Amino acid sequence: MVLARRTAMVCAAGVLALVGCSPGGGGSMAEPTHTAVATVTASSASPSPGSPTSSPSVSVPASTTPSPVPVTGAGQKLVTMTVSGGFAGVNRQVVLRGDGTVRTTDRGESVVRRTTAAQFMELRTLLGDRSLADVPGFAMNMGAADMFQYTLQFDDRTVITDRSAEEPALDRLIDALDKWLPTQ
């Protein structure tokens, strides 16, 4: 019985440690983005002869994934991202609309392309990440020179960043939108 309790405690500690780890984070702990519950059950009865040895069972709910932002109409602007600055004085823009089209503008030329259903769902899901609500409206390193400035407009707010502060949800959104911009 003592062995079963110790095994259950070790398993519970292992599960809780894994829930807090971030993938690829170099062993560092990440802030949890969801609540996880670990349930460990160990039988206090001795196993009967011929029956398998009881082992602890662990139950951890799946992580909560963001819901895609709703679309209210084809002309709805879901997100607008403007990239400006840098040494060369870049000024580029990408706009995702409710009909799944992406309009990019660079050096005065606009191009409209259509997303696939999977790409549209991915972008809407990134926009639905609740962590975006915690991103500050202005995060710039005022001592840095020649950095790109990203201005994003979504969900009735504007966020301005140079990406010098670590904001994982915002960084994922910027990276996904950046893929639509023409390469230099």
Side-chain angles (χ1 to χ4, degrees):
M1 177 151 148
V2 173
L3 180 59
R5 282 189 184 155
R6 284 188 182 157
T7 303
M9 291 174 64
V10 169
C11 288
V15 168
L16 293 175
L18 288 174
V19 169
C21 291
S22 64
S28 64
M29 299 299 280
E31 290 294 327
T33 57
H34 63 280
T35 304
V37 177
T39 306
V40 178
T41 308
S43 171
S44 60
S46 300
S48 60
S51 69
T53 306
S54 72
S55 60
S57 65
V58 178
S59 171
V60 179
S63 63
T64 306
T65 57
S67 298
V69 295
V71 176
T72 59
Q76 174 189 8
K77 287 184 183 179
L78 297 174
V79 62
T80 300
M81 180 177 79
T82 304
V83 182
S84 59
F87 182 73
V90 169
N91 190 3
R92 304 184 303 166
Q93 187 178 70
V94 59
V95 178
L96 174 65
R97 294 196 176 272
D99 62 357
T101 58
V102 174
R103 186 194 58 163
T104 59
T105 306
D106 185 23
R107 298 183 185 138
E109 292 185 33
S110 288
V111 176
V112 177
R113 295 181 283 167
R114 180 161 296 283
T115 62
T116 65
Q119 291 167 328
F120 190 48
M121 183 62 72
E122 176 193 4
L123 290 167
R124 290 179 44 225
T125 301
L126 290 170
L127 283 165
D129 191 330
R130 290 186 184 135
S131 300
L132 288 174
D134 297 330
V135 172
F138 186 82
M140 300 280 291
N141 179 350
M142 301 311 283
D146 297 329
M147 293 185 74
F148 288 120
Q149 175 178 311
Y150 298 83
T151 303
L152 289 96
Q153 296 171 318
F154 59 94
D155 195 29
D156 293 327
R157 64 183 294 221
T158 301
V159 174
I160 301 171
T161 183
D162 60 4
R163 299 185 80 176
S164 59
E166 191 171 323
E167 295 290 346
L170 184 62
D171 289 339
R172 285 188 297 270
L173 178 59
I174 290 172
D175 289 341
L177 292 171
D178 198 50
K179 292 176 185 174
W180 288 92
L181 291 170
T183 57
Q184 300 284 337

